[in-house]
Coordinates of all heavy atoms in Angstrom, one line a residue:
K193 N -1.2 18.5 -18.9 CA -1.3 17.7 -17.6 C -0.1 18.1 -16.7 O 1.0 18.3 -17.2 CB -1.2 16.2 -17.9 CG -2.5 15.7 -18.7 CD -2.4 14.2 -18.9 CE -3.6 13.7 -19.7 NZ -3.5 12.3 -20.0
P194 N -0.3 18.1 -15.4 CA 0.8 18.5 -14.5 C 1.8 17.3 -14.3 O 1.5 16.1 -14.6 CB 0.1 18.7 -13.2 CG -1.1 17.9 -13.2 CD -1.5 17.9 -14.7
T195 N 3.0 17.6 -13.9 CA 4.0 16.6 -13.7 C 4.0 16.1 -12.2 O 4.3 16.9 -11.3 CB 5.4 17.2 -14.1 OG1 5.4 17.7 -15.4 CG2 6.5 16.1 -14.0
I196 N 3.6 14.9 -12.0 CA 3.4 14.3 -10.7 C 4.2 13.1 -10.5 O 4.3 12.2 -11.3 CB 1.9 14.0 -10.5 CG1 1.0 15.3 -10.6 CG2 1.6 13.2 -9.2 CD1 -0.5 15.0 -10.5
W197 N 4.8 13.0 -9.3 CA 5.7 11.9 -8.9 C 4.9 11.2 -7.8 O 4.9 11.6 -6.6 CB 7.0 12.4 -8.4 CG 8.1 11.4 -8.2 CD1 8.0 10.1 -8.3 CD2 9.4 11.7 -7.8 NE1 9.2 9.5 -8.0 CE2 10.1 10.5 -7.7 CE3 10.1 12.9 -7.6 CZ2 11.5 10.4 -7.4 CZ3 11.5 12.9 -7.2 CH2 12.1 11.6 -7.1
T198 N 4.2 10.1 -8.1 CA 3.4 9.4 -7.1 C 4.2 8.5 -6.2 O 3.7 8.2 -5.1 CB 2.3 8.5 -7.8 OG1 2.9 8.0 -9.0 CG2 1.1 9.3 -8.1
E199 N 5.4 8.1 -6.5 CA 6.2 7.3 -5.6 C 7.7 7.7 -5.8 O 8.4 7.2 -6.7 CB 6.1 5.8 -5.9 CG 4.7 5.2 -5.5 CD 4.7 3.7 -5.7 OE1 5.8 3.1 -5.7 OE2 3.6 3.1 -5.7
A200 N 8.1 8.6 -4.9 CA 9.5 8.9 -4.7 C 10.0 7.9 -3.6 O 9.8 8.1 -2.4 CB 9.7 10.3 -4.3
W201 N 10.8 6.9 -4.0 CA 11.1 5.9 -3.1 C 12.1 6.3 -2.1 O 13.3 6.7 -2.4 CB 11.6 4.7 -3.9 CG 10.6 4.1 -4.8 CD1 9.2 4.1 -4.6 CD2 10.8 3.4 -6.0 NE1 8.6 3.5 -5.7 CE2 9.5 3.1 -6.6 CE3 11.9 3.1 -6.8 CZ2 9.3 2.4 -7.8 CZ3 11.8 2.4 -8.0 CH2 10.5 2.1 -8.5
S202 N 11.7 6.4 -0.8 CA 12.6 6.9 0.3 C 13.6 5.9 0.7 O 14.5 6.2 1.5 CB 11.7 7.3 1.5 OG 11.0 6.2 2.0
G203 N 13.4 4.6 0.3 CA 14.3 3.5 0.6 C 13.9 2.3 -0.2 O 13.6 2.5 -1.4
W204 N 13.8 1.2 0.4 CA 13.4 0.0 -0.3 C 12.9 -1.0 0.7 O 13.3 -1.0 1.9 CB 14.6 -0.6 -1.1 CG 14.1 -1.5 -2.2 CD1 14.4 -2.9 -2.3 CD2 13.4 -1.2 -3.4 NE1 13.9 -3.4 -3.5 CE2 13.2 -2.4 -4.1 CE3 12.8 0.0 -3.8 CZ2 12.5 -2.4 -5.3 CZ3 12.1 -0.1 -5.0 CH2 11.9 -1.3 -5.8
F205 N 12.1 -2.0 0.3 CA 11.6 -3.0 1.2 C 12.6 -4.1 1.4 O 13.6 -4.2 0.6 CB 10.3 -3.6 0.6 CG 10.4 -4.2 -0.7 CD1 10.9 -5.5 -0.9 CD2 10.1 -3.5 -1.9 CE1 11.0 -6.1 -2.1 CE2 10.3 -4.0 -3.1 CZ 10.7 -5.4 -3.3
D206 N 12.5 -4.8 2.5 CA 13.4 -5.9 2.8 C 12.8 -7.3 2.6 O 11.6 -7.4 2.7 CB 13.9 -5.8 4.3 CG 14.6 -4.5 4.6 OD1 15.3 -4.0 3.7 OD2 14.4 -3.9 5.7
E207 N 13.6 -8.2 2.3 CA 13.2 -9.6 2.1 C 14.0 -10.5 3.0 O 15.2 -10.3 3.3 CB 13.3 -10.0 0.7 CG 14.7 -9.9 0.2 CD 14.9 -10.0 -1.3 OE1 14.5 -9.0 -2.0 OE2 15.3 -11.0 -1.8
F208 N 13.3 -11.6 3.5 CA 14.0 -12.5 4.4 C 15.3 -13.1 3.7 O 15.1 -13.6 2.5 CB 13.1 -13.6 4.8 CG 12.1 -13.2 5.9 CD1 10.7 -13.2 5.5 CD2 12.5 -12.8 7.1 CE1 9.8 -12.9 6.5 CE2 11.5 -12.4 8.1 CZ 10.2 -12.4 7.7
G209 N 16.4 -13.0 4.3 CA 17.6 -13.5 3.7 C 18.4 -12.4 3.0 O 19.5 -12.7 2.5
G210 N 17.8 -11.2 2.8 CA 18.5 -10.1 2.2 C 18.9 -9.1 3.2 O 18.6 -9.1 4.3
P211 N 19.7 -8.1 2.7 CA 20.2 -7.0 3.6 C 19.1 -6.0 3.8 O 18.1 -6.0 3.2 CB 21.4 -6.4 2.8 CG 21.0 -6.6 1.4 CD 20.3 -8.0 1.4
V212 N 19.4 -5.1 4.8 CA 18.5 -4.0 5.0 C 18.9 -2.8 4.1 O 20.1 -2.5 4.0 CB 18.6 -3.6 6.5 CG1 17.7 -2.3 6.8 CG2 18.1 -4.7 7.4
H213 N 18.0 -2.1 3.5 CA 18.3 -1.1 2.5 C 18.1 0.3 3.1 O 17.2 0.5 3.9 CB 17.3 -1.2 1.3 CG 17.4 -2.6 0.6 ND1 18.3 -2.9 -0.3 CD2 16.6 -3.7 0.8 CE1 18.1 -4.1 -0.7 NE2 17.1 -4.6 -0.1
H214 N 19.0 1.2 2.7 CA 19.0 2.6 3.2 C 19.2 3.5 2.0 O 20.0 3.1 1.1 CB 20.1 2.8 4.2 CG 20.1 1.9 5.4 ND1 19.3 2.1 6.5 CD2 20.8 0.8 5.7 CE1 19.4 1.1 7.3 NE2 20.4 0.3 6.9
R215 N 18.5 4.6 2.0 CA 18.8 5.6 0.9 C 19.2 6.9 1.6 O 18.5 7.5 2.4 CB 17.5 5.9 0.1 CG 17.8 6.8 -1.1 CD 16.7 7.1 -2.0 NE 17.1 7.9 -3.1 CZ 16.3 8.4 -4.1 NH1 15.0 8.1 -4.0 NH2 16.8 9.1 -5.1
P216 N 20.4 7.3 1.3 CA 20.9 8.6 1.9 C 20.0 9.8 1.7 O 19.5 9.9 0.5 CB 22.3 8.8 1.3 CG 22.7 7.5 0.8 CD 21.4 6.8 0.4

């Protein structure tokens, strides 16, 4: 089977009351 990455997280989701997320 091939090696597949279905979700390479480019950042993250935000939630009310939490900070804004960044991925360099």
Side-chain angles (χ1 to χ4, degrees):
K193 295 179 182 179
T195 304
I196 294 176
W197 191 356
T198 32
E199 291 187 16
W201 297 331
S202 61
W204 199 245
F205 58 86
D206 299 327
E207 59 195 72
F208 288 116
V212 176
H213 302 276
H214 305 279
R215 186 177 187 186

